[in-house]
Amino acid sequence: MSLILNRFLLSAEECELLLELEEAHSLQIVSEKLGRDHSVVSRNLKRISEKAPVVEKKAGRWVLTEVGKKFNESSRLMISTQSLLNHSQQSLRIGTNREFAARMIGPALKELMNIFPNTQLTINSYESGTEQALLSGQIDIGIDCDRPNDPEVGYKLILDEPIVAVCGKGFFKIHKKKIDEKKYLNLPYLLCERLHPDKILSQLENHSGMVAKFNDIATTRAACVQNVGWSLLPRYAIQDELKSKVLIQIDTSNYGKAKYGVWWIRHRNYLKGTIEKLGTWLDSKEL
């Protein structure tokens, strides 16, 4: 005889029906509590009695057997255990790009810990975005730019990401006149290929003033600080440098705006509350 492993004898719905029957002692009360017809509940109990000796009919009434009472004890224990686990420390894996992780999430970690108490936070950063990490199950939620490609990934755009023109203070001193006259497009330029501000990219791609290209924000920012050239960078990624005046914003214009938002796998409905909390936190920020 073969054994069926990892299979419950009764479904969760059937277990709940047995618990209600024990508490109510009346099929009519059980039917009213469950919002079901008396005959439907009776048929369900008959089906249960055919699966296991936990309930039987006596004098025209459905009653629990001794086995059924012990079965209910195990059901209550399982419910209690699940409740304890649900209220114990949870885990939440958040994914984003490296720059956002370092500049926005790291400094705000205490805020996130307060928003998600009793939760072990894992922050994973990805150079190429979070979509594949979501789809492969490496993370629960992503904070990313623009829109995902796969329809399985849900998203909500929340926060603007202004792109601004900046340079180092030494570069500014040397080229102040042209910068003040808004003629800095002809000055040595550092291209961060992660950004594509449509307003000027076409003017610069073949421009002799483009002295270097980079595939990440941090390296572009570091070259800018060293006065190699001016560049277009996300404002959130240079806030510290602007405050310390290591970098200077040379134009009040925003060269395009991307949007940051929360990404998730659509069918994971259990994450709805977490998504809302993370979205509210993101909405409170300014990039």
Side-chain angles (χ1 to χ4, degrees), residues 35-93:
R36 295 184 178 180
D37 186 77
H38 183 282
S39 60
V40 173
V41 174
S42 183
R43 284 198 299 273
N44 289 340
L45 288 169
K46 184 176 185 302
R47 185 165 59 249
I48 291 172
S49 71
E50 293 168 353
K51 289 184 178 182
V54 293
V55 66
E56 62 184 358
K57 245 183 180 180
K58 283 187 177 180
R61 295 176 64 246
W62 284 107
V63 295
L64 287 173
T65 64
E66 290 303 313
V67 173
K69 291 175 183 178
K70 290 180 179 179
F71 197 94
N72 274 357
E73 288 177 11
S74 68
S75 295
R76 290 191 184 94
L77 179 60
M78 178 62 75
I79 291 170
S80 176
T81 302
Q82 289 181 352
S83 179
L84 286 172
L85 288 172
N86 187 48
H87 289 89
S88 64
Q89 187 180 63
Q90 304 295 302
S91 64
L92 177 61
R93 301 167 301 167

Side-chain angles (χ1 to χ4, degrees), residues 166-222:
V166 294
C167 70
K169 59 182 180 181
F171 187 92
F172 182 80
K173 286 180 182 179
I174 296 170
H175 301 288
K176 186 176 186 304
K177 184 177 179 182
K178 284 191 174 182
I179 290 172
D180 288 343
E181 293 174 352
K182 308 298 182 188
K183 295 179 180 178
Y184 57 84
L185 291 180
N186 296 319
L187 297 176
Y189 175 68
L190 305 169
L191 173 65
C192 180
E193 293 183 309
R194 286 181 61 85
L195 309 174
H196 299 281
D198 296 334
K199 285 187 179 180
I200 69 164
L201 190 61
S202 60
Q203 302 175 53
L204 293 170
E205 280 192 341
N206 298 312
H207 193 274
S208 59
M210 186 183 298
V211 295
K213 295 182 180 182
F214 308 93
N215 69 351
D216 76 303
I217 293 169
T219 311
T220 313
R221 181 177 59 231

Side-chain angles (χ1 to χ4, degrees), residues 9 157 215:
L9 185 61
L157 299 178
N215 69 351

